[in-house]
Amino acid sequence: MSGPRPGTRRLTTAQALVAFLARQYTERDGRRHRLIGATWAIFGHGNVAGLGQALLEYGGEMPFLQGRNEQAMVHAAVGYARQSNRLSAHAVTTSIGPGATNLVTGAALATINRLPVLLLPGDAFATRPADPVLQQLEVPGAGDVSVNDTLRPVSAYFDRITRPEALVPAALQAMRVLTDPAATGAVTLALPQDVQAEAFDWPEEFFAERVWRVRRPAPDAAELDAAARAVRAASRPLIVAGGGVHHSAAEDALRALADATGIPVASTQAGKGSLRHDHPADVGGIGHTGTATADHLARTADLVIGAGTRWTDFTTASSTLFAHPGVRFVNLNITGFDAHKMSGLPLVADARTALLALAAELGGHRVDPAYAAEYGRRKAAWEERVTAAYTPRGDDARPTQPQVLGALDTLVTGDDIVINAAGSLPGDLHKLWRARSHDQYHVEYGYSCMGYEIPAAVGVALAAPGRPVWAFVGDGTYLMNPTEIVTAVQERLPIKVVILQNHGYASIGGLSEAVGSERHGTAYRHRAADGTYTGDPLPVDLAANAASLGMRVLRPRTVRDLREALAEARASSVPTCVYVETETADTVSGAPPAEAWWDVPVAETATRAAAVKAREEYDRHVAARRRHL
């Protein structure tokens, strides 16, 4: 066989892709970052001989991480990308068939949260020497469909590489989307297994170092002027900080605007920590899981400035929260799609650039001192409620869920990172957690995906070595996805997993009760012969399971034990689990109740009294909904 043509390098498609990825960089504000920090893999039919061999061949250039569950690998990659402010990402490769379809949930989470991850699933043969091959989906009416097509609607970019030379434009497009702050998400390059192993003469230019500059677009002058005029005309303005503030590293710019104007700042789940909890203008979380302070200000605000938020129904209390008859919105967002929501005045720009420009445009404008004094009093009153929720009855009592948070609150510094995603914990954390740094609070609530926490903690620990990383996990969530504990043990990542055991789905149980479904099917209990469930919890020992996967496990039983266990876990150099028995799934967490509504439709006709009553309450709230036009 003759050698490669001059100016080319003869490699397999998989080898060329790995070599290309190892030479991609991002740059923002003059700082360069490696774009693809590592590649996660579970090898099987469809990627072991292609990408598997390539990752071995280029092991010195592309770090390799071994996963245990395909969905979990994507979650770990997303955690890494978020902690890296979207300037670095991970790749994930799987076999064809179930390995590929297991990516779908993680891909949806990444795209919904606008976080970059590169997916490299194996695919069926492009040349079809045997048809069908193992794990191939047959669609009688379409010969070019594979299971990877399930990734199309949840990917920000999708391509199938059916010829080696097609990789060149596809790889460049993939990098473009991964590094575009307005378009990023899951990027999928489906790789037929025969094409992965096929050799080609690649141009040397393909492997040159390439820097993708992450842009900071400035606001349009007319849009900036309109936004500033709206702020000056408002008597009760409110800023709602979303995840875009963090992605843009705009926390200092937001603080400068709040200091200069006195405008209070509420936060979405993704935006919490944009201001420290003790900043005078920080009024806490907003919406259904928000604080009484923030939600009162939202109801009475005549101008709402959305900074990097996409205005989900939790944030807007299903369009019932912003009740002032003349309320207007200014939406500062890098995407025009989000900037035009709520019929707001758009300010399409990078969050940091726009916040700095808005502060300069406003000059010395400040809110009325009486307004600042009002929200200051309300903030202080809410802090008293937080302290009350955190305070146990006594050191020998079993802790409630908020008291677990309170015990950790006494230990952490700004270095600690707290991770959660689903159950009742996001509500408790959004209302109660006192964020001490801009990246301490990591709650995935765009998809609110059970099973995210442990793999995300692995990804965050890889992105922030040396910092204490806490994964708060309910028992229901733990049963969804504990597999990456093994990866944490393998990689010697000292993550701290706090399992809160209440023997059921406490969050959905409370919702079930509120909508007239009477907590049906939300607790782990023995089932009797007649189909009913007894009050006895199942003899499930999640701590023993965590220990069997390699974790060090601590079992505190009282508040005193809990404080000692958390301190021991924080100091530990190995993956450590703190297993805490709290209240049962039939009780609420003990946190202050929701201050705003959330639309969960209730049965319009029913014979059970609970459902009839719930529908009456539902109709009352629906009547308050409005469209902001």
Side-chain angles (χ1 to χ4, degrees):
M1 185 169 92
S2 62
R5 296 190 307 273
T8 66
R9 192 185 307 182
R10 191 164 185 82
L11 301 172
T12 69
T13 303
Q15 292 165 354
L17 177 58
V18 173
F20 169 84
L21 294 177
R23 291 165 175 80
Q24 307 303 302
Y25 296 87
T26 60
E27 184 180 287
R28 188 173 72 179
D29 304 330
R31 295 187 61 189
R32 182 180 290 198
H33 309 263
R34 179 168 173 147
L35 176 52
I36 305 299
T39 297
W40 289 88
I42 296 176
F43 295 123
H45 166 62
N47 72 339
V48 65
L51 277 167
Q53 193 281 329
L55 288 166
L56 175 64
E57 188 99 357
Y58 287 89
E61 298 182 41
M62 175 57 69
F64 165 74
L65 294 164
Q66 183 180 2
R68 269 74 194 178
N69 173 281
E70 292 86 359
Q71 180 188 137
M73 291 194 298
V74 186
H75 291 338
V78 167
Y80 176 88
R82 174 168 166 171
Q83 187 63 33
S84 302
N85 269 352
R86 305 194 300 186
L87 298 171
S88 293
H90 280 164
V92 177
T93 180
T94 71
S95 64
I96 74 171
T101 53
N102 279 351
L103 295 173
V104 173
T105 297
L109 182 148
T111 298
I112 286 170
N113 286 284
R114 296 18 172 345
L115 292 166
V117 60
L118 177 60
L119 307 180
L120 305 172
D123 210 328
F125 282 80
T127 54
R128 306 185 191 179
D131 195 26
V133 295
L134 177 65
Q135 298 179 324
Q136 180 179 336
L137 172 70
E138 289 186 278
V139 180
D144 63 344
V145 172
S146 81
V147 296
N148 284 330
D149 287 277
T150 61
L151 288 160
R152 287 183 184 270
V154 293
S155 295
Y157 179 81
F158 180 98
D159 202 352
R160 179 175 285 113
I161 313 303
T162 57
R163 290 293 305 141
E165 55 267 40
L167 177 65
V168 174
L172 294 171
Q173 289 294 333
M175 300 304 103
R176 174 189 64 80
V177 175
L178 286 173
T179 58
D180 186 337
T184 194
V187 169
T188 301
L189 297 180
L191 301 170
Q193 58 180 311
D194 51 345
V195 177
Q196 288 182 50
E198 186 175 347
F200 183 75
D201 292 341
W202 303 89
E204 283 289 349
E205 293 85 354
F206 186 56
F207 306 110
E209 284 192 3
R210 194 176 299 266
V211 178
W212 302 83
R213 287 182 174 81
V214 179
R215 65 181 67 90
R216 287 192 180 277
D220 175 82
E223 291 185 352
L224 179 61
D225 178 66
R229 282 189 282 110
V231 174
R232 291 192 197 97
S235 60
R236 296 182 65 85
L238 172 68
I239 295 172
V240 176
V245 173
H246 292 312
H247 297 330
S248 179
E251 296 90 356
D252 289 346
L254 176 64
R255 183 176 64 251
L257 178 64
D259 288 342
T261 64
I263 300 175
V265 178
S267 57
T268 69
Q269 287 279 12
K272 190 173 172 75
S274 295
L275 293 182
R276 272 184 56 106
H277 75 95
D278 52 1
H279 189 283
D282 179 69
V283 294
I286 195 167
H288 180 68
T289 55
T291 69
T293 307
D295 285 351
H296 169 78
L297 294 175
R299 290 187 183 94
T300 59
D302 57 354
L303 180 72
V304 182
I305 306 165
T309 176
R310 60 193 184 93
W311 292 121
T312 65
D313 66 332
F314 256 70
T315 305
T316 67
S318 299
S319 298
T320 63
L321 183 58
F322 302 103
H324 189 288
V327 66
R328 299 177 68 196
F329 293 81
V330 170
N331 295 326
L332 188 166
N333 206 290
I334 200 166
T335 71
F337 176 73
D338 290 319
H340 284 83
K341 290 178 177 176
M342 312 290 281
S343 297
L345 293 172
L347 190 59
V348 181
D350 167 74
R352 192 182 76 176
T353 304
L355 286 167
L356 291 172
L358 183 60
E361 191 76 10
L362 289 171
H365 175 80
R366 288 191 62 83
V367 300
D368 189 304
Y371 181 47
E374 175 198 333
Y375 72 70
R377 290 191 299 271
R378 290 181 178 277
K379 174 181 170 67
W382 181 258
E383 279 300 309
E384 292 177 2
R385 294 182 69 180
V386 173
T387 299
Y390 278 177
T391 303
R393 298 186 305 276
D395 284 353
D396 295 323
R398 174 186 288 186
T400 65
Q401 186 165 284
Q403 289 162 10
V404 175
L405 303 183
L408 186 61
D409 177 77
T410 64
L411 290 174
V412 299
T413 69
D415 284 342
D416 294 70
I417 301 168
V418 175
I419 299 171
N420 185 242
S424 57
L425 275 163
D428 289 0
L429 285 162
H430 200 203
K431 294 173 190 170
L432 304 176
W433 188 256
R434 294 162 170 160
R436 289 163 171 79
S437 64
H438 71 274
D439 63 350
Q440 180 174 84
Y441 187 87
H442 183 130
V443 173
E444 187 286 299
Y445 219 54
Y447 211 37
S448 188
C449 186
M450 296 178 73
Y452 173 81
E453 293 90 344
I454 293 172
V458 170
V460 170
L462 290 167
R467 295 179 63 179
V469 179
W470 300 86
F472 274 102
V473 183
D475 49 314
T477 290
Y478 180 87
L479 288 169
M480 291 278 183
N481 202 2
T483 56
E484 298 322 296
I485 286 174
V486 179
T487 302
V489 172
Q490 182 179 40
E491 298 293 331
R492 296 181 173 86
L493 299 172
I495 63 171
K496 298 90 174 62
V497 176
V498 180
I499 300 176
L500 294 134
Q501 171 65 281
N502 55 34
H503 302 286
Y505 303 113
S507 173
I508 208 68
L511 179 62
S512 172
E513 185 173 48
V515 299
S517 295
E518 303 175 45
R519 295 185 177 267
H520 177 61
T522 63
Y524 307 146
R525 293 174 173 176
H526 286 286
R527 188 169 187 171
D530 63 359
T532 61
Y533 292 85
T534 70
D536 301 323
L538 296 175
V540 175
D541 191 341
L542 301 183
N545 179 265
S548 75
L549 297 177
M551 289 203 98
R552 179 187 181 194
V553 175
L554 306 173
R555 294 176 179 257
R557 298 189 179 279
T558 66
V559 170
R560 182 185 294 105
D561 296 340
L562 175 63
R563 294 193 194 102
E564 295 172 357
L566 291 173
E568 190 173 342
R570 190 174 187 273
S572 178
S573 60
V574 299
T576 302
C577 169
V578 179
Y579 177 81
V580 188
E581 290 264 1
T582 61
E583 67 278 339
T584 69
D586 289 337
T587 63
V588 297
S589 70
E595 298 288 338
W597 184 62
W598 177 39
D599 188 350
V600 178
V602 177
E604 192 168 1
T605 62
T607 58
R608 299 182 71 89
V612 172
K613 181 179 179 182
R615 181 66 195 200
E616 292 172 354
E617 182 73 3
Y618 177 80
D619 289 338
R620 183 177 69 81
H621 283 290
V622 165
R625 180 164 29 214
R626 64 187 293 192
R627 293 193 183 276
H628 297 281
L629 299 170

